[in-house]
Amino acid sequence: MSFHFREGLRLPEPSRAQRDIAGASTGHCTANAVLGDGDGLRMQAESWLEFCSFLLLDAMRIVAGLQEQVFFHYGWDPKKLHHKIIDVIATTTDGQRIAYTIKPEVRLVSGEFLKEMQEVAWWMKELDFADDFRLLTERDIDQADLSNARMFAAVRGSEPEADAVALQVANSLHGGRSLRELTLATGLEDRGYRALIRLMRQGYLRPMQHELITPATLIKRGELHHAA
């Protein structure tokens, strides 16, 4: 069997992680995913909670890039430095570096982890390693946002013809119309649907209210909208 690609086969960028996670674990989920825009970037998640958090961060328009599994060395004695593996660092569109540690709520009950994180946060500021250090738990995961983030990740690759048609349809939008109506207006069926979702990912279109995105969702122009 052979496959032919008009524009050639392009692989995603390799992971930027500073250490590789285990290929499998008997105690928790591990995952490898391709996120980002265009050809994408490979990312390694050491748990289901990490994977979900990566998806949500990837879907945020303010996030310009992600790097997982990053070493942070700190301490007073340069010969005996402590180290912490930061689950993911998000670089924002305005150049900030936001470090995230991702843990389930059950790991916070004793208070020991939070105490350690306070020390790490102080050193990050002292060493100018990151602009902020934040904790993510399962409480931070909105299921509608997670489902939408999965959909955004699934339509990562571009389809130039369909994208151009979808943008024309978006430019003609006044008020709100359902995603189904906009898809029919493209005349491209599933290709038009994916292209419209990409415009939502990019901020040119947005739901009229916070909800799980479906064909019935009412869509309006986003704050990044511009004419083609």
Side-chain angles (χ1 to χ4, degrees), residues 105-120:
E105 290 282 332
V106 68
R107 293 284 300 277
L108 311 180
V109 175
S110 70
E112 289 301 314
F113 181 77
L114 292 176
K115 183 179 179 181
E116 178 190 2
M117 290 305 96
Q118 288 176 342
E119 180 183 9
V120 172

Side-chain angles (χ1 to χ4, degrees), residues 125-142:
K125 288 287 187 181
E126 186 72 11
L127 299 176
D128 198 26
F129 179 82
D131 296 287
D132 200 0
F133 185 37
R134 301 175 184 175
L135 169 67
L136 295 176
T137 75
E138 62 269 29
R139 289 176 179 254
D140 297 297
I141 296 179
D142 178 278

Side-chain angles (χ1 to χ4, degrees), residues 60-218:
M60 295 180 181
R61 291 190 299 277
I62 194 174
V63 173
L66 296 171
Q67 181 183 15
E68 81 280 32
Q69 304 298 322
V70 180
F71 281 96
F72 173 57
H73 297 276
Y74 64 97
W76 296 106
D77 187 346
K79 295 181 180 179
K80 296 181 180 180
L81 291 176
H82 303 289
H83 80 271
K84 180 70 180 175
I85 297 172
I86 306 304
D87 293 318
V88 64
I89 294 179
T91 302
T92 64
T93 52
D94 60 3
Q96 291 193 76
R97 281 168 54 90
I98 312 298
Y100 291 91
T101 186
I102 302 167
K103 287 291 182 288
E105 290 282 332
V106 68
R107 293 284 300 277
L108 311 180
V109 175
S110 70
E112 289 301 314
F113 181 77
L114 292 176
K115 183 179 179 181
E116 178 190 2
M117 290 305 96
Q118 288 176 342
E119 180 183 9
V120 172
W122 186 87
W123 277 106
M124 282 190 180
K125 288 287 187 181
E126 186 72 11
L127 299 176
D128 198 26
F129 179 82
D131 296 287
D132 200 0
F133 185 37
R134 301 175 184 175
L135 169 67
L136 295 176
T137 75
E138 62 269 29
R139 289 176 179 254
D140 297 297
I141 296 179
D142 178 278
Q143 291 303 315
D145 288 341
L146 180 59
S147 180
N148 295 342
R150 286 180 182 145
M151 183 164 55
F152 291 154
V155 301
R156 184 190 67 256
S158 64
E159 296 179 78
E161 179 185 352
D163 291 341
V165 173
L167 188 56
Q168 289 180 344
V169 170
N171 285 335
S172 66
L173 179 60
H174 299 284
R177 295 178 67 186
S178 73
L179 185 53
R180 179 182 289 108
E181 290 176 302
L182 294 176
T183 300
L184 291 173
T186 68
L188 297 175
E189 299 181 340
D190 57 325
R191 294 173 61 214
Y193 186 85
R194 290 194 299 270
L196 290 165
I197 295 297
R198 274 192 291 277
L199 289 180
M200 295 177 69
R201 173 187 172 92
Q202 296 162 9
Y204 297 117
L205 295 174
R206 61 178 296 180
M208 295 191 73
Q209 62 183 25
H210 175 258
E211 63 178 295
L212 176 67
I213 297 171
T214 71
T217 298
L218 292 178

Side-chain angles (χ1 to χ4, degrees), residues 6-34:
R6 284 182 296 179
E7 299 179 1
L9 179 62
R10 300 182 61 178
L11 298 177
E13 293 181 31
S15 168
R16 297 169 184 163
Q18 294 180 352
R19 69 155 186 148
D20 289 327
I21 65 169
S25 170
T26 57
H28 54 80
C29 156
T30 62
N32 281 268
V34 178

